[in-house]
Amino acid sequence: AQSVTQLDSQVPVFEEAPVELRCNYSSSVSVYLFWYVQYPNQGLQLLLKYLSGSTLVKGINGFEAEFNKSQTSFHLRKPSVHISDTAEYFCAVRPTSGTYKYIFGTGTRLKVLA
Amino acid sequence: ETGVTQSPTHLIKTRGQQVTLRCSSQSGHNTVSWYQQALGQGPQFIFQYYREEENGRGNFPPRFSGLQFPNYSSELNVNALELDDSALYLCASSLWGGGSEQYFGPGTRLTVT
């Protein structure tokens, strides 16, 4: 079984400041890792994904994440946030084989302050 | 290329009723998954369909059922609605295999009164 923990339910940050959203996971099998963003009243949009290879993954909108296998973490970072980054961010894992059963964390609400 | 679409956008039902939600997959995608997202929570996997057959199910009772059609569109049916079924229902389509990502629709907001 897999589980995903997003320790921070809310993260307030001032515009142009850096931000890190934390994600830890647990799994008995090999997994792929994902970060999704959800704007109000919308579906989920993929920010980035880790399948294999380089542990530093770059995504859309200037976001990046680093996979750390020993710490079972996949933290999301952005060096300088904008007001438009205000949204809910979800970390998810999926086994590398079998059903496309994504396991999502409970989400982190990023609020960018002017 | 059209994205994933869902209908209706919003729906209000009474406890005990039945509801059908619809999803049109992104062009070329042969796999569809359904998720329930309660307020303030992450999406919870309901089930997945591939080649018109259920291929994996989350921890949801049998009154949650689905269909996938030859054109890869899909339906989610929920019988005997309960108040706790109130949620955003998300459909996601993808290609079967590998690290193929899922593309999500905008969701259907179901309110059960």
Side-chain angles (χ1 to χ4, degrees):
Chain A
Q2 298 82 43
S3 67
V4 176
T5 301
Q6 292 183 247
L7 292 169
D8 306 304
S9 59
Q10 292 190 67
V11 173
V13 62
F14 285 104
E15 193 173 19
E16 298 184 7
V19 70
E20 178 180 85
L21 306 183
R22 297 181 292 168
C23 172
N24 288 88
Y25 71 94
S26 172
S27 178
S28 56
V29 299
S30 180
V31 294
Y32 297 132
L33 298 113
F34 305 81
W35 274 99
Y36 282 86
V37 61
Q38 186 176 36
Y39 298 101
N41 301 313
Q42 294 187 27
L44 278 68
Q45 179 184 6
L46 181 69
L47 279 176
L48 48 79
K49 61 183 178 181
Y50 174 78
L51 305 182
S52 65
S54 173
T55 57
L56 182 62
V57 180
K58 293 190 182 298
I60 63 171
N61 301 340
F63 284 94
E64 63 180 32
E66 185 150 22
F67 170 55
N68 188 317
K69 189 173 182 178
S70 62
Q71 297 187 3
T72 60
S73 68
F74 191 53
H75 300 332
L76 181 70
R77 303 186 183 99
K78 186 170 183 178
S80 175
V81 296
H82 303 289
I83 295 289
S84 59
D85 292 324
T86 295
E88 191 87 20
Y89 291 80
F90 293 95
C91 180
V93 300
R94 199 217 93 186
T96 58
S97 61
T99 304
Y100 272 96
K101 184 178 179 179
Y102 279 56
I103 305 299
F104 284 85
T106 52
T108 296
R109 182 170 297 277
L110 174 64
K111 185 171 177 61
V112 181
L113 309 169
Chain B
E1 177 180 277
T2 56
V4 179
T5 59
Q6 293 185 242
S7 63
T9 305
H10 296 88
L11 201 53
I12 299 175
K13 289 286 189 177
T14 302
R15 190 170 48 184
Q17 287 186 316
Q18 178 267 342
V19 69
T20 297
L21 309 182
R22 294 178 175 82
C23 171
S24 179
S25 300
Q26 182 160 315
S27 177
H29 285 182
N30 55 15
T31 304
V32 64
S33 301
W34 285 91
Y35 294 84
Q36 181 196 66
Q37 186 179 17
L39 204 60
Q41 300 296 317
Q44 299 289 317
F45 177 78
I46 302 175
F47 44 55
Q48 174 190 107
Y49 278 82
Y50 171 61
R51 290 185 175 177
E52 302 177 48
E53 291 191 1
E54 188 179 291
N55 180 50
R57 188 178 185 93
N59 190 26
F60 282 82
R63 60 189 184 84
F64 285 79
S65 63
L67 285 172
Q68 185 184 32
F69 300 100
N71 67 353
Y72 304 131
S73 65
S74 177
E75 286 182 355
L76 164 65
N77 299 288
V78 187
N79 294 321
L81 284 167
E82 300 177 0
L83 295 179
D84 285 348
D85 295 333
S86 295
L88 181 68
Y89 288 85
L90 296 164
C91 167
S93 73
S94 59
L95 284 171
W96 178 261
S100 178
E101 68 182 78
Q102 291 190 328
Y103 290 81
F104 284 81
T108 293
R109 173 73 62 188
L110 173 64
T111 301
V112 182
T113 62

